[in-house]
Amino acid sequence: MKGAAVQQNDPDITLITPVAPVATSTHGGRAKCLQRLVRLDLPVPKTVALSFDAVHRIAAGETLDTQDLLKPFGPSALVCVRPSSEDPDWGGPGAVLNIGMNDALYVELCDQLGQDAASAMYLRFVQAYAIHVARLDPDMFDDVPSDGPEGLSEALRAYEDETEESFPQDPAVQLAEVLRSMARAWEGTTARLLRQAKGAPADAGLGLVVQEMALGMGLGECGSGVIQLVNSKTGEPQITGRYLSQSQGRDALSKGAGAMFLGRDERGPSLQELEPEAYDALIDHTRLMRVRLREEMQAEFTIENGHVHLLDGVRVARSARAAVRIAISLAEDGIIPKEEALTRIEPRAINELLHRQVDPEAERDRLVQGIAASPGAATGRIVFSAAEAQASAARGEACILVRRETSPEDIRGMHAAVGVLTERGGITSHAAVIGRGMGLPCVVGASALTFNLRRSVLRAPDGREFRAGDIITIDGTNGEVLVGEPEMLEATQDDAFLTLMGWADEHRDIGVRANADTPADAKTARNFGAQGIGLCRTEHMFFEADRLTVMREMIFADGVGDRRAALDRLLPMQREDFAELFRIMQGQPVCIRLFDPPLHEFLPSDRAGHRELAEALDLPLSDVTRRVEDLSEYNPMLGMRGVRLGITMPEIYEMQARAIFEATIEASRDGDPVVPEIMIPLVSAKREVELVKTRVDAIAAAVRNETGVTFAYRLGVMVETPRAALRAAEIAPHCAFLSFGTNDLTQMTYGLSRDDAGRFMSTYVQQGVYPEDPFHVLDVDGVGELLSIGAARGRGAHPGLTLSICGEHGGNPESIAFCRAEGFSYVSCSPFRVPVARLAAAQLAVRDKMQFPVAK
């Protein structure tokens, strides 16, 4: 590059003009935005852009003719260098201002601007050059006065003492060293890892812009500031920013800087009062940027003797709430089409609107990092058991339930707690799945904490200990466990959110249902716009205190007769549960999965629990212990559960089928007709379906005969074993639908425990064994191939077959794309993920149909 000249048509080093060859993909977002501002004839200082390739070559040691690069700026010009990455969120080295300051120019500027201004500018450059280019310790300037000729002299002396050479005086040398330092900083290992953590590719490039300084210091009214037209937290229209006289860069935003407001404000002086013409020009410029760049922009500006210069424009930083309102506002003002507004919101960001969040600006005392299992944040006192959680809730005290891992026995405690923290588990562990369904913040896999439940103590890696009653905060959005009670942002579903969801429903072409087990879940799902229930796990209805005892009596029954007697007592409870679900869903489909878990989950696991159960059932302790041991299995998740239990103990499924049909009649009498969907879990063979279908059909006929009421229902299979997917052609003719349960299907395909995978999954992902946690993002290559095979074979044998997914992947945007491409009818997910799924599905449909204009 030696001898390279700055030309308007040079793809690597070009003066930014309206027609210069500048693109975001080659020169970065900052360079492209500056070109757009130039095209709008806005007052942008002269700027030269260096491409990714040019910067890469500088980092590799090539020499740039900086003397030639400085020619467009004229003699004695000061310049600054700013980074220009493809995505501003990827970061980059800090800007360096006032390049070109030397002893000779300092003398000139003392005459032109005054000694204080000239000293401040020179001092700023010396410090920046020393820290970022010479890589000196910032502490060397701690004793240097912050301004004036004395401070400048001290800084220059400190530089010379530390480097044993004079501060460079040649502007070309200064610029060359700044460019080299910034280029190498970008390509360093630490910087690369940091930006990769933010989603940047490993080979992401950096552009640099060299811009003439608009000084912001001197005689007359001079200064710098930033301006935007919306509030970054709410997205509401609000002229926001600060201005600081006699300043440069973003000094106005520094704490304690004494900056003034922009518009008139009763709290203090404003730029509008000080320089009304400059203020009006700034408002006009920013409004023009909003319309022509089709985005809410933050402008960095400088005022020199009342004249405004725009130094930079960046997309306004925003919370999820603000992002939604900004997109809706731009569409309603006709600046962008509403289809594009839909695509501008990251679906997962919707979670921030549905749950309380830790304020991004709050101080965090982080204890450990776990797995973000269920979004939202909660603060409460530590409790170590479900009983303690219920007692805490009865006292009106918020609590965090802390367990090694949760089981169905803990559900009552989870309902009482405001958040859950577990030592073990992964993204589809019991705590994670139930937490997401309830909208309960949850952090799992916090294995860096030492859990001593016997002593009721948590021990952190740094040695701190926390006991029952101590206050902690869990952030289920990013997996952090925090000490104390940081500031929170409340959940919000305002008019902009509702508008966005309405637009999403107009465009999406795949249904979205919810996994809901209780009336509360169903109401939440209904409020979030679910089109029915895609999975109701009936076993969760049995864990209420009154039902659990009857359930245990059924488990301890000596024979079929005693078992039926216990089930007869559970029947009216199940019937009322189902009837209430049907009423809440108002005629929308409700898919009820028949009983699935192994029976041992309903029994206590410790000796104290065995003793309590013996007292409740009036049985000898030895009988209870023996029965619990008889039901234990080496691998219960692959043992006597699901359809296997329904075939060996058919009276359980018969009771549930009767409860469903009687509830159907009851709910249909009160409102819209109900067509229940009955789903058989853990199927692996056609004969299993035939046996269960025969019994369900017989119960339906009996209920019709007894009541004289006709009703319809649909019977289907939950495909969660690889064999069911492979033999779908045999199974499908006996079904109305196949719903893929991808939690267990992933577990069985990988031979990987979803509860234990969290212990090593991060290592596997980091080392590239798996691209993502397969329980978090659907493995479209392996598990996805089973889905494709099952769908194709099922529909080949039964063309009218309904296909869906009801595992936790159903709320994942990438998984929705796969299901949509495979022609599935709907996805089903936790209630709080329904809005995420609705938006993701809409975005997929919109992107298939439309292309949007890009600001040129």
Side-chain angles (χ1 to χ4, degrees), residues 188-495:
T189 301
T190 301
R192 185 175 67 255
L193 292 175
L194 284 173
R195 63 177 176 268
Q196 282 183 258
K198 298 177 182 178
D203 60 350
L206 176 72
L208 293 172
V209 295
V210 181
Q211 186 178 72
E212 184 176 10
M213 287 293 301
L215 299 182
M217 304 187 77
L219 306 176
E221 182 49 47
C222 300
S224 64
V226 295
I227 181 173
Q228 63 188 55
L229 303 179
V230 294
N231 183 298
S232 288
K233 285 188 178 180
T234 67
E236 296 282 357
Q238 178 182 341
I239 296 171
T240 304
R242 290 290 186 271
Y243 171 76
L244 181 63
S245 291
Q246 300 298 318
S247 72
Q248 295 182 306
R250 302 174 75 85
D251 290 350
L253 299 182
S254 301
K255 288 185 177 180
M260 64 178 65
F261 299 98
L262 298 180
R264 286 189 178 87
D265 196 301
E266 60 185 19
R267 292 173 293 176
S270 69
L271 178 62
Q272 187 175 17
E273 296 164 310
L274 180 68
E275 282 284 349
E277 291 184 6
Y279 172 81
D280 291 342
L282 275 171
I283 297 297
D284 290 343
H285 295 337
T286 316
R287 285 176 177 162
L288 179 63
M289 291 166 65
R290 177 179 186 264
V291 173
R292 296 295 295 277
L293 302 188
R294 307 169 65 251
E295 180 58 281
E296 289 289 356
M297 302 293 290
Q298 183 189 81
E300 185 176 331
F301 66 90
T302 295
I303 295 177
E304 276 190 299
N305 297 318
H307 297 289
V308 172
H309 301 275
L310 294 183
L311 311 183
D312 195 14
V314 296
R315 179 178 175 271
V316 166
R318 62 202 68 185
S319 67
R321 176 184 176 188
V324 171
R325 183 164 293 281
I326 287 170
I328 295 299
S329 176
L330 290 170
E332 290 180 338
D333 289 348
I335 295 172
I336 62 174
K338 65 182 182 181
E339 291 84 0
E340 183 175 357
L342 283 171
T343 67
R344 289 195 175 191
I345 309 301
E346 168 62 36
R348 290 182 180 86
I350 295 296
N351 280 323
E352 295 182 28
L353 303 182
L354 308 180
H355 305 273
R356 294 180 81 208
Q357 302 288 337
V358 177
D359 190 327
E361 298 176 5
E363 291 187 10
R364 292 175 177 240
D365 181 358
R366 191 174 82 170
L367 205 56
V368 293
Q369 178 79 42
I371 296 172
S374 180
T379 298
R381 297 185 183 278
I382 294 173
V383 297
F384 289 94
S385 71
E388 291 173 25
Q390 290 177 291
S392 182
R395 295 192 299 270
E397 294 179 354
C399 65
I400 304 293
L401 177 61
V402 175
R403 303 287 289 161
R404 279 216 158 81
E405 57 191 335
T406 61
S407 69
E409 288 180 307
D410 292 309
I411 287 179
R412 284 173 290 164
M414 295 175 73
H415 277 289
V418 296
V420 176
L421 170 64
T422 70
E423 178 184 14
R424 302 169 184 157
I427 199 71
T428 54
S429 63
H430 179 271
V433 172
I434 301 304
R436 285 194 293 273
M438 295 166 55
L440 185 70
C442 180
V443 173
V444 301
S447 55
L449 281 173
T450 301
F451 286 58
N452 189 328
L453 301 188
R454 185 175 57 82
R455 292 178 51 224
S456 296
V457 172
L458 287 180
R459 186 178 178 85
D462 62 7
R464 285 184 287 179
E465 290 191 348
F466 297 85
R467 302 176 184 278
D470 290 342
I471 293 178
I472 61 172
T473 295
I474 61 167
D475 188 340
T477 302
N478 60 25
E480 290 183 340
V481 181
L482 310 174
V483 179
E485 190 171 1
E487 291 293 319
M488 296 280 191
L489 297 179
E490 296 302 322
T492 178
Q493 295 172 51
D494 55 17
D495 57 333

Side-chain angles (χ1 to χ4, degrees), residues 578-605:
F578 295 143
E580 189 169 358
L581 286 180
F582 294 151
R583 292 189 192 102
I584 291 169
M585 298 316 293
Q586 299 175 14
Q588 290 189 333
V590 175
C591 183
I592 298 170
R593 183 181 73 182
L594 297 174
F595 191 88
D596 179 54
L599 294 178
H600 80 274
E601 288 195 2
F602 295 87
L603 301 178
S605 57

